[in-house]
Amino acid sequence: MRAIKTIITYKIISFLLLFHISSLALPLYLDTYTNEQGLSQNSITCSTTDDKGFHWFATQGGLNRFDGYEFKHYKFNPSHPSISGNWITDCVNIANGKIWLATTSNGLNILNTETGQFSVYNKHSIPSIANERISSITSNSPQVLWIAHDKGQLTRFNTSKNTTKLFTYPTQNQVAIVFKDITFDQQNNIWLASNNGLIKFDAKTGVFKHIPNSPKQLWQLKKAPNGKLIVGGKEGLSMFDPNTLAFSHFEQLKNIWVTDILLDAEQNLWISTYGNGLYHQPTKTLFGQQFQQIIHSADLKHGLASNHLLSLYQDPLGIIWIGTDGYGLHRYDKRQAQFGHQKHRKNNLRSISSDFVRAILKDSNNLLWVGTRDGLNKQTDTGFKRYKTDENRNTGLTNNNIFSLYEDADKRVWVGTYGGGLLLYNSADDTFSAFTVKSHQLSSNRIYAIEGDQSGNLWLGSNKGLTRFNPNTLQVTHFKYNADENSISNNTVFSITHDNYNNVIWVGTRAGLNKFSLDDETFTHYRSDLKKPNSLTHDMVTSLHLQDENTLWVGTFGGLNKLNIQTNKVIKITEFDGLLNDNIFAIKQDSSGYLWLSSNQGLTRYAPQTQKMQHFLPASGIQHTSFILGAAFQADDGELFFGGINGFNQFDPLKLALSSPPPRTRYHRFTYL
């Protein structure tokens, strides 16, 4: 009974964990290379890097050297010395300027990367390779190469003595054995993946031993850090203990055809499959959690081109290369994973309700709220809980289009909607109370921005001016544009910030910046005027950030402005100064003093002291080039959140790998954004 309860508990935890992981899916922005970019053929069977940094990609139609810019082809030529065959099955870099290349039916090749010349080993060479059909090669020393064949044959090639020896598996009933992969355990025992299961080979005695209860149709073997073997094939993925001869199976990958296994530099596990895409386990503890599955989607321009994958490889710089069957080669820079990316997923009800993210808040209870144009979302231990007006249960949500989120000094969460007024979240019963034009005399039911002051008031920006609302007394005061009086410069309010230093409210509108004095309730306007050096770059004020008592950063549709509050001096920063885009949608400042600017063309880190900028595009891991006005938040611990049209990013700006790139060489093209 206890065993049954344990199994049930494990399955429940795995089920909940699967939801959690899928909602935190790894962002994959893939560069793709095909024959259109110069590959000799689009099925990538293996990859390696030589001592000088050139990449070598083997295909079913020739070998390719890649210098970061272009491909150079090496193909079989019957009239000249060349590689012996175009269908390459495996490759090994044993250093000393030599790469070993196996072919499917034309023997073994040694490529001298200095000269570009091939040495061919087949049944006619000295020493000879009796079986020219090679599926895999490996080595645990520079002097000895092990070669796997069909017909149950294994060749030992002693390169220092220039000798070979053939070993043949003793078949029963003429069973044809095909060795697909070779690896070594921690005791240097040789293990072979075959169509008949896992086989151990004793190099001293030449004896083969078949492992009982082994999965059949094996393709790949990988030594795990714990000394066990990761075994993959047409029946799925398993873990094998060489000491106990026991197998443990990954149920999530049952009957999924595993084509390659990669343990990256951080011991994360990557699994390529034939027909089911890519699997990723972000953990150093195998079996610690479920895999994330990454599949082809026609909607993702920079996603997997196909679910039929053949090979995985991580180069010395940490770049992961994914070989497909017929769809080319993918390049993945793991640094993009620094920007956590969450988005809507059609088949996952625990993901956010829409990719179009308008507002983000992490409250004092560390609950993450995400407002979209199709519902509000609250993060839980199992993913996101959605609040929508079309739900069967009545939560009190009045509108699905969420424009703003705010937590006040009393730890109350407020929600601004587009047409449903202002909402207050009631945590006791998980519902919302509405404050609208009709019920509480708000000026508009479209709440674009929410800010609080030290007196407990909420300041609401809408399409009908600025409103001061006291949620305790329910007192409402409106500030609207009036050409004949001292008033706000425009009734469309995009952004608000409270300046406790100077006892003012700063208000960004469609027609300039406003300073509203809380002492005498007067407005001061800041406008754009090309004839005045200390004017704003644009009247459309979209974002504000108060740095200190003297400095206000003002984002507009015409760039970034640094306003000296005391002198009214304005320093302008635009695309001409290096900005990606002049539409500044949000401004946040990290503890190192860098400004983070979201825009209509990406995300920028700006150093005010040096005016240096570092730009981030989707290749870096950000959700899209297009962010959304006001969709940003900075948590108490410094974590930053930016929303856009493809979900939102969350990251710790102090933990990003933003150091200067290494010097470029002629062998690689780096993209540092």
Side-chain angles (χ1 to χ4, degrees):
M1 187 68 179
R2 179 178 299 176
I4 294 174
K5 290 177 66 177
T6 301
I7 293 171
I8 293 173
T9 302
Y10 174 78
K11 288 186 175 181
I12 291 173
I13 292 173
S14 298
F15 178 74
L16 295 177
L17 200 52
L18 179 59
F19 268 128
H20 179 63
I21 291 170
S22 60
S23 69
L24 299 173
L26 180 76
L28 275 190
Y29 182 100
L30 303 176
D31 292 315
T32 303
Y33 303 89
T34 67
N35 51 13
E36 292 183 0
Q37 285 74 42
L39 273 175
S40 63
Q41 200 264 350
N42 287 332
S43 295
I44 313 301
T45 54
C46 75
S47 309
T48 191
T49 306
D50 67 23
D51 301 340
K52 289 190 174 182
F54 285 107
H55 293 311
W56 297 85
F57 300 113
T59 75
Q60 295 175 3
L63 179 66
N64 300 262
R65 188 191 73 175
F66 184 52
D67 62 5
Y69 294 93
E70 59 186 4
F71 293 92
K72 181 179 180 180
H73 301 161
Y74 296 82
K75 304 187 77 171
F76 172 66
N77 187 334
S79 303
H80 300 281
S82 67
I83 191 170
S84 63
N86 290 330
W87 190 313
I88 302 163
T89 55
D90 204 2
C91 50
V92 173
N93 179 11
I94 308 183
N96 299 321
K98 304 283 196 306
I99 293 178
W100 295 81
L101 300 154
T103 66
T104 187
S105 60
N106 299 91
L108 180 70
N109 296 260
I110 301 178
L111 169 64
N112 185 321
T113 58
E114 292 285 345
T115 64
Q117 300 299 310
F118 292 88
S119 300
V120 178
Y121 294 86
N122 53 31
K123 59 186 178 183
H124 304 294
S125 64
I126 300 176
S128 66
I129 304 292
N131 188 339
E132 296 178 340
R133 299 178 65 87
I134 303 174
S135 54
S136 179
I137 52 178
T138 193
S139 176
N140 63 344
S141 73
Q143 290 77 36
V144 178
L145 186 74
W146 292 92
I147 307 168
H149 312 272
D150 62 357
K151 300 179 181 179
Q153 293 183 328
L154 178 69
T155 298
R156 181 178 63 199
F157 186 174
N158 190 313
T159 58
S160 61
K161 297 180 180 180
N162 204 35
T163 60
T164 60
K165 184 173 183 179
L166 183 69
F167 302 89
T168 302
Y169 183 82
T171 60
Q172 297 178 358
N173 301 322
Q174 303 299 314
V175 176
I177 301 294
V178 179
F179 293 138
K180 300 295 294 185
D181 197 16
I182 321 170
T183 195
F184 302 89
D185 63 21
Q186 291 183 333
Q187 287 73 42
N188 282 325
N189 296 308
I190 297 175
W191 295 89
L192 302 163
S194 82
N195 57 333
N196 197 38
L198 186 63
I199 295 171
K200 181 180 180 180
F201 177 70
D202 189 325
K204 294 181 180 179
T205 64
V207 174
F208 294 89
K209 178 183 178 182
H210 180 265
I211 306 303
N213 301 319
S214 169
K216 307 297 183 182
Q217 299 296 332
L218 298 182
W219 277 61
Q220 285 290 322
L221 298 173
K222 187 70 64 176
K223 183 169 66 177
N226 58 10
K228 298 181 180 181
L229 298 182
I230 307 172
V231 182
K234 288 187 177 181
E235 295 182 2
L237 190 72
S238 304
M239 186 78 76
F240 173 71
D241 190 331
N243 297 316
T244 65
L245 304 184
F247 289 89
S248 301
H249 307 296
F250 290 81
E251 290 299 319
Q252 188 183 352
L253 278 77
K254 185 177 181 180
N255 294 324
I256 290 176
W257 187 346
V258 173
T259 57
D260 206 355
I261 303 167
L262 171 67
L263 278 166
D264 67 22
E266 298 175 352
Q267 299 304 312
N268 299 310
L269 184 58
W270 300 78
I271 306 295
S272 64
T273 73
Y274 201 77
N276 287 273
L278 185 67
Y279 287 83
H280 174 250
Q281 189 180 83
T283 175
K284 294 182 180 179
T285 305
L286 299 178
F287 283 100
Q289 53 186 277
Q290 294 281 333
F291 284 89
Q292 298 175 15
Q293 184 184 11
I294 301 152
I295 61 175
H296 163 70
S297 172
D299 298 331
L300 295 178
K301 181 179 179 181
H302 291 279
L304 285 177
S306 170
N307 288 326
H308 293 80
L309 310 177
L310 295 178
S311 59
L312 296 168
Y313 169 67
Q314 185 177 33
D315 69 25
L317 294 178
I319 305 299
I320 291 177
W321 300 87
I322 305 167
T324 75
D325 187 12
Y327 291 84
L329 177 70
H330 292 311
R331 177 188 184 275
Y332 169 56
D333 187 341
K334 291 181 62 183
R335 286 173 299 179
Q336 65 181 256
Q338 298 174 115
F339 292 95
H341 181 198
Q342 299 198 40
K343 66 187 306 298
H344 171 69
R345 301 185 185 281
K346 293 180 180 179
N347 298 321
N348 185 354
L349 295 177
R350 292 295 183 176
S351 67
I352 57 176
S353 56
S354 169
D355 278 334
F356 202 97
V357 175
R358 292 192 182 277
I360 305 173
L361 168 71
K362 192 172 187 180
D363 67 23
S364 55
N365 294 317
N366 283 324
L367 292 176
L368 184 62
W369 296 83
V370 181
T372 75
R373 67 178 177 186
D374 189 27
L376 178 65
N377 305 265
K378 180 179 71 175
Q379 193 172 37
T380 69
D381 291 338
T382 59
F384 283 95
K385 179 177 182 178
R386 299 176 182 178
Y387 300 88
K388 297 183 69 174
T389 58
D390 54 2
E391 288 181 341
N392 292 327
R393 64 189 190 91
N394 184 18
T395 63
L397 193 73
T398 56
N399 191 283
N400 285 333
N401 202 348
I402 310 301
F403 261 65
S404 52
L405 292 165
Y406 180 75
E407 184 180 32
D408 66 19
D410 294 325
K411 300 182 180 180
R412 294 175 292 191
V413 174
W414 297 88
V415 183
T417 72
Y418 187 80
L422 178 69
L423 305 179
L424 171 63
Y425 176 65
N426 308 307
S427 58
D429 57 4
D430 198 30
T431 62
F432 299 89
S433 300
F435 300 79
T436 66
V437 172
K438 184 176 180 180
S439 65
H440 292 83
Q441 290 74 55
L442 299 185
S443 64
S444 173
N445 287 330
R446 300 180 184 178
I447 310 299
Y448 298 157
I450 310 172
E451 177 68 304
D453 65 22
Q454 59 190 0
S455 300
N457 297 306
L458 294 181
W459 294 84
L460 311 177
S462 72
N463 63 323
K464 294 185 178 180
L466 179 69
T467 296
R468 179 172 58 201
F469 171 61
N470 190 305
N472 300 315
T473 66
L474 302 183
Q475 183 178 357
V476 176
T477 306
H478 302 303
F479 302 90
K480 296 187 176 184
Y481 171 72
N482 188 323
D484 299 327
E485 300 177 7
N486 175 58
S487 71
I488 194 168
S489 61
N490 187 270
N491 283 332
T492 301
V493 176
F494 294 119
S495 53
I496 311 170
T497 192
H498 174 231
D499 181 353
N500 191 42
Y501 301 111
N502 300 292
N503 201 32
V504 302
I505 298 291
W506 295 95
V507 185
T509 75
R510 186 184 292 275
L513 174 68
N514 295 256
K515 180 175 71 175
F516 179 70
S517 172
L518 294 175
D519 294 327
D520 57 12
E521 297 198 349
T522 58
F523 284 91
T524 303
H525 300 156
Y526 299 79
R527 302 291 297 268
S528 172
D529 189 338
L530 296 178
K531 298 178 181 179
K532 296 181 179 179
N534 285 321
S535 65
L536 299 179
T537 53
H538 199 282
D539 276 341
M540 184 83 80
V541 177
T542 51
S543 52
L544 300 169
H545 170 68
L546 183 69
Q547 177 176 309
D548 51 44
E549 62 183 356
N550 295 317
T551 307
L552 179 72
W553 293 93
V554 183
T556 73
F557 266 18
L560 181 67
N561 302 261
K562 181 181 181 182
L563 172 65
N564 187 309
I565 298 172
Q566 308 306 322
T567 65
N568 289 329
K569 181 180 179 181
V570 175
I571 297 176
K572 303 176 179 68
I573 303 102
T574 69
E575 292 179 12
F576 295 104
D577 302 297
L579 287 178
L580 279 171
N581 182 258
D582 281 340
N583 296 346
I584 308 299
F585 290 150
I587 309 168
K588 297 298 176 185
Q589 188 168 28
D590 65 29
S591 59
S592 297
Y594 292 101
L595 293 180
W596 291 83
L597 314 171
S598 64
S599 74
N600 210 25
Q601 288 293 332
L603 185 67
T604 294
R605 188 184 76 153
Y606 173 64
Q609 299 300 323
T610 62
Q611 289 80 53
K612 291 184 178 180
M613 302 182 194
Q614 190 165 14
H615 302 309
F616 301 90
L617 298 174
S620 312
I622 65 170
Q623 53 83 36
H624 196 274
T625 55
S626 295
F627 288 85
I628 302 299
L629 191 153
F633 185 78
Q634 184 172 30
D636 291 339
D637 61 2
E639 187 177 24
L640 293 178
F641 300 80
F642 289 93
I645 67 172
N646 189 33
F648 69 92
N649 295 114
Q650 61 184 100
F651 60 96
D652 184 340
L654 302 185
K655 293 182 180 179
L656 291 177
L658 299 174
S659 57
S660 299
R664 297 187 181 190
T665 72
R666 62 183 286 254
Y667 305 112
H668 290 285
R669 176 178 59 190
F670 299 99
T671 302
Y672 288 92
L673 301 170

